[in-house]
C-alpha cells in the first residue's frame, strides 16, 4: 500500500513520482502541445493548473462557461469543451513545468511534465592531429557542442571515442567525419572531409621517400667515386716506385 503524504507537499511529491513514471512531454521552443484529460464522465467542473500555483482555465459544464484565469494564457491556450483538452501554443522555456487538471471531485488527474527545449546549436569540428602511413590515415578530431566536447581518433573506416557523451557522437563514412550534436527535440551536425588531408600526407610521404632514395643513391655514388680515386692514386704511386727502382738499378 502506498502511503499518501498529506497536504500540498504530498501532492507535489505525487506529481514528481508521476513525472518520473514517464508522463512527460518534450517540445521544441515555438511548438504546441495538447494536454488530454481522458475520460471526463461525471465531471461538472475542471481547472487546468500550472505548477500547482497558477490556474490556467476553469470550465463549468453545467452552463458551458469557461474562464481564462491568467492574462498570460488569453492568446496562448485553446480549451476544448468537448473533451476538456488544453492546447498550449508557442511554447517557451518558462512554459516548462507540471500541468495538471483538478475536477469537481477534487481528484488529481494525469499530471503531465512538459519540458520546453531550445533548438540545439550546430557543433564545432576541428582537426587536432594527423598521422599517415603507406596503408592508413589516422586523424584526431574534437567535436564541441555547447559546454560539452568529444575527442575521437578516426582511421579510414571507424572512429573511437575517448568517453561516452550522449549529446555528441562522431562517426566516419567514405572519408567524411560526422560530428552530431543533439537534444531530445532537435539535432545538427558538422562534417569534415579528411580525404584531402590524407592524400596530402600520402603525397608528402611519397616525396619524403623519394628524397631519401635520391640522397642514398648520391651518397653511394660519391662513395664509389671516392673508392676509385683512392684506388687510382695508390696504383699511380706503385708504378712510380717501380720506375724509380728500375732506373737506379740500371744506373749501377
Amino acid at each position: 500500500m502506498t502511503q499518501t503524504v498529506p497536504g500540498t507537499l504530498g501532492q507535489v511529491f505525487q506529481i514528481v513520482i508521476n513525472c518520473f513514471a514517464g508522463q512527460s512531454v518534450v517540445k521544441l521552443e515555438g511548438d504546441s502541445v495538447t494536454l488530454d484529460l481522458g475520460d471526463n464522465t461525471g465531471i461538472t467542473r475542471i481547472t487546468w493548473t500550472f505548477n500547482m500555483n497558477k490556474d490556467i482555465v476553469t470550465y463549468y459544464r453545467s452552463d458551458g462557461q469557461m474562464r481564462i484565469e491568467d492574462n498570460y494564457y488569453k492568446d496562448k491556450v485553446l480549451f476544448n469543451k468537448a473533451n476538456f483538452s488544453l492546447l498550449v501554443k508557442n511554447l517557451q522555456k518558462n512554459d516548462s513545468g507540471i500541468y495538471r487538471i483538478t475536477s469537481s471531485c477534487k481528484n488529481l488527474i494525469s499530471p503531465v511534465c512538459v519540458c520546453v527545449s531550445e533548438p540545439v546549436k550546430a557543433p564545432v569540428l576541428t582537426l587536432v592531429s594527423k598521422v599517415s602511413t603507406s596503408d592508413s590515415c589516422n586523424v584526431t578530431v574534437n567535436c564541441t557542442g555547447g559546454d560539452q566536447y568529444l575527442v575521437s581518433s578516426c582511421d579510414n573506416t571507424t572512429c573511437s571515442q575517448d568517453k561516452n557523451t550522449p549529446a555528441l557522437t562522431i562517426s566516419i563514412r567514405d572519408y567524411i567525419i560526422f560530428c552530431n550534436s543533439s537534444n531530445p527535440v532537435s539535432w545538427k551536425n558538422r562534417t569534415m572531409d579528411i580525404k584531402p588531408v590524407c592524400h596530402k600526407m600520402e603525397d608528402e610521404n611519397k616525396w619524403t621517400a623519394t628524397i631519401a632514395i635520391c640522397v642514398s643513391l648520391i651518397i653511394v655514388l660519391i662513395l664509389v667515386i671516392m673508392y676509385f680515386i683512392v684506388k687510382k692514386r695508390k696504383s699511380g704511386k706503385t708504378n712510380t716506385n717501380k720506375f724509380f727502382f728500375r732506373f737506379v738499378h740500371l744506373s749501377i
Side-chain angles (χ1 to χ4, degrees):
M1 178 181 295
T2 303
Q3 182 177 2
T4 302
V5 182
T8 304
L9 180 60
Q11 292 176 333
V12 173
F13 182 72
Q14 187 64 45
I15 291 175
V16 172
I17 291 177
N18 290 335
C19 287
F20 278 105
Q23 300 182 37
S24 61
V25 178
V26 182
K27 288 289 184 177
L28 190 64
E29 276 187 329
D31 283 353
S32 300
V33 62
T34 299
L35 307 173
D36 293 314
L37 168 61
D39 184 16
N40 59 11
T41 304
I43 298 176
T44 59
R45 178 189 61 80
I46 62 107
T47 299
W48 276 102
T49 63
F50 174 69
N51 281 348
M52 298 190 63
N53 58 10
K54 182 186 291 186
D55 291 344
I56 302 173
V57 60
T58 299
Y59 175 67
Y60 297 89
R61 194 174 209 171
S62 56
D63 56 11
Q65 290 186 4
M66 183 194 70
R67 183 173 67 247
I68 302 294
E69 302 289 357
D70 193 298
N71 287 334
Y72 174 75
Y73 294 104
K74 278 188 175 181
D75 299 319
K76 193 173 183 69
V77 299
L78 290 176
F79 177 75
N80 189 315
K81 294 182 180 181
N83 59 18
F84 298 170
S85 65
L86 185 71
L87 171 67
V88 186
K89 302 179 291 184
N90 190 25
L91 291 167
Q92 302 300 314
K93 278 191 173 181
N94 61 345
D95 295 319
S96 296
I98 300 172
Y99 293 79
R100 68 166 185 156
I101 189 170
T102 56
S103 72
S104 51
C105 301
K106 304 294 184 182
N107 291 330
L108 186 67
I109 303 174
S110 301
V112 180
C113 299
V114 176
C115 178
V116 182
S117 178
E118 63 184 5
V120 68
K121 295 181 180 179
V124 177
L125 182 60
T126 55
L127 180 65
V128 178
S129 64
K130 52 187 179 179
V131 177
S132 179
T133 63
S134 58
D135 58 351
S136 66
C137 177
N138 293 85
V139 298
T140 301
V141 295
N142 181 38
C143 175
T144 304
D147 58 353
Q148 297 182 333
Y149 72 93
L150 183 63
V151 177
S152 179
S153 177
C154 303
D155 57 22
N156 304 351
T157 57
T158 59
C159 290
S160 59
Q161 301 175 3
D162 63 342
K163 59 182 179 180
N164 184 23
T165 307
L168 296 172
T169 59
I170 298 178
S171 60
I172 187 170
R173 185 174 68 250
D174 297 330
Y175 284 91
I176 297 179
I177 296 178
F178 295 85
C179 167
N180 297 293
S181 179
S182 63
N183 61 20
V185 290
S186 64
W187 68 277
K188 289 184 180 178
N189 68 13
R190 279 282 186 266
T191 61
M192 178 185 295
D193 187 356
I194 65 170
K195 186 177 293 184
V197 176
C198 291
H199 286 178
K200 181 180 179 181
M201 295 169 64
E202 290 173 1
D203 292 340
E204 290 175 352
N205 290 340
K206 288 179 181 178
W207 274 107
T208 301
T210 302
I211 292 173
I213 292 173
C214 292
V215 170
S216 299
L217 290 175
I218 291 173
I219 292 174
V220 171
L221 182 60
I222 292 173
L223 292 175
V224 171
I225 293 174
M226 291 179 63
Y227 170 78
F228 281 106
I229 291 175
V230 171
K231 184 177 181 181
K232 186 175 181 181
R233 286 182 176 177
K234 288 183 177 180
S235 176
K237 287 182 179 180
T238 303
N239 292 335
T240 302
N241 291 336
K242 287 181 179 180
F243 175 79
F244 176 75
F245 286 118
R246 185 179 298 175
F247 174 78
V248 172
H249 178 72
L250 291 174
S251 297
I252 298 174

